[in-house]
Amino acid sequence: DPRLVRAEVYVGHEAGFLLTVDSEGSRVRAPLAETTIRALAQVRASDGALITDQRLWTVRGVEDLPDDRELIAAVDQMEQGLLSLIDAPSLDEEYVGPVLFEGTAATDLYRYLLVQQLEGTPAEIPFDSWFGELGAFHDPVRIGRRVLPEGWTVVDDPQRLPKHPGAYRWDQEGTPAQRIELVDDGIVRTLAMSRVPRRGLEQTNGHARGFVGQRAEGRLSQFDVTPDRAVSDAKLHKLAIKTAKAYGRDSYLVVRRLQEPCVMGLGTDLWFDEDETPLPPPVQLVRRHLDGTEEVLRGAAFAGVERWLLRDVVAAGGSVEADFMAPLQGGYGGQAPTEGIASHVRAPSVLVGEVELVPVPGDPRELPALPPPPLAGK
């Protein structure tokens, strides 16, 4: 479609093995196999805003990919969703109130806000630090800290989906993988650990992962977030309306997909700043009214989001599962489209009691001065 600014498919494939040998007598030869496809597209909205969406598939081998019809159908759905946003209205004013996170936006909520609170390998101390500064480094990870509502649990099991490319029997330090209960009753009880100790957790629990040649760190691989109870979609809607009325509103926002940091800036000088907000902007956003009707919106970004947002969950719905590529180091914005650690999350859709979104208008000067050239063969 000539209205697409960018439409690309990236493929990454690796096959081999990782041999781990150490002075303690470990000798592990672990197979490595991963095929990753990421399809992406960008459109320019009528006010000049650039909107990006993507689809990801990560499997062990080419033979494990969905058939061509399923792949094409998913890409067509992505394309039509983006094209429908070109003339959609933008968020017209700041919104503070309840937000329902559905679909992959729900799994992304835990991916961006929860994961880093459960990975326990301490950060490296800079070589040039003064001795007196060693205690000044901020560590957001705490055992005994509440991260989710009462009754919620989080379990990471590297063998829950044994055919997933992120599954493993031994980690990258040659330690057998363990199933660990990270959160119980909403409070952090333990952390994903490598052999690098931290105070209170001196032993590894088989979660060391990373890039070959770099320090392996405790990372989540296949984690499962379970609420104390789940409610129906109808009940979520009633609770959302009730919460919205407390804010003087007769509608609330629903987020179904977030833009992917590793592709949203491709071909531009845009950069997703995770220090400014940990949640990338939504690509599928609607305003849902009392009668259940929906109005498609765009041009919004999250503001004032902190990691303890998950403690403000009002209710949970049905579970959603998704794959993602965790960054090897640093943040999501610096990744290549098929780079990262293949990971999996299963978590519920959630109604969060208070979230702030702000309008992000486009710049009409970004609109092209000339129409695109005709496509070859058209």
Side-chain angles (χ1 to χ4, degrees), residues 59 61 74 77 81 103 122 199 205 236 244 249 277 293 301 303 309 316 378:
V59 295
Q77 182 189 47
R199 183 176 298 178
N205 50 29
L236 280 175
R249 300 181 178 276
T277 176
T293 58
L309 181 83
K378 296 293 184 181

Side-chain angles (χ1 to χ4, degrees), residues 89-112:
S90 298
L91 185 71
D92 53 1
E93 61 180 2
E94 180 184 59
Y95 175 90
V96 178
V99 172
L100 179 59
F101 290 85
E102 297 179 338
T104 58
T107 56
D108 282 347
L109 196 63
Y110 307 97
R111 166 187 168 194
Y112 291 116

Side-chain angles (χ1 to χ4, degrees), residues 65-99:
L65 286 167
D67 63 41
D68 290 353
R69 289 173 298 177
E70 184 176 338
L71 296 172
I72 292 170
V75 172
D76 285 344
Q77 182 189 47
M78 172 183 66
E79 176 186 7
Q80 295 307 312
L82 280 173
L83 294 175
S84 69
L85 295 175
I86 291 178
D87 295 314
S90 298
L91 185 71
D92 53 1
E93 61 180 2
E94 180 184 59
Y95 175 90
V96 178
V99 172

Side-chain angles (χ1 to χ4, degrees), residues 139-215:
D139 186 358
V141 180
R142 294 281 192 282
I143 292 179
R145 168 180 282 165
R146 177 169 297 282
V147 293
L148 290 165
E150 293 181 5
W152 287 52
T153 62
V154 180
V155 173
D156 188 85
D157 183 359
Q159 280 290 296
R160 185 173 74 83
L161 301 173
K163 294 184 178 181
H164 191 273
Y168 59 91
R169 296 174 60 191
W170 293 273
D171 70 7
Q172 291 190 0
E173 294 175 328
T175 304
Q178 298 178 29
R179 177 185 183 276
I180 52 176
E181 298 182 3
L182 296 154
V183 176
D184 179 58
D185 198 25
I187 297 174
V188 179
R189 307 298 181 180
T190 191
L191 303 168
M193 292 297 297
S194 63
R195 294 187 185 183
V196 180
R198 65 181 296 124
R199 183 176 298 178
L201 288 175
E202 284 75 30
Q203 303 296 323
T204 178
N205 50 29
H207 278 69
R209 304 176 81 194
F211 188 71
V212 176
Q214 297 178 345
R215 184 181 76 152

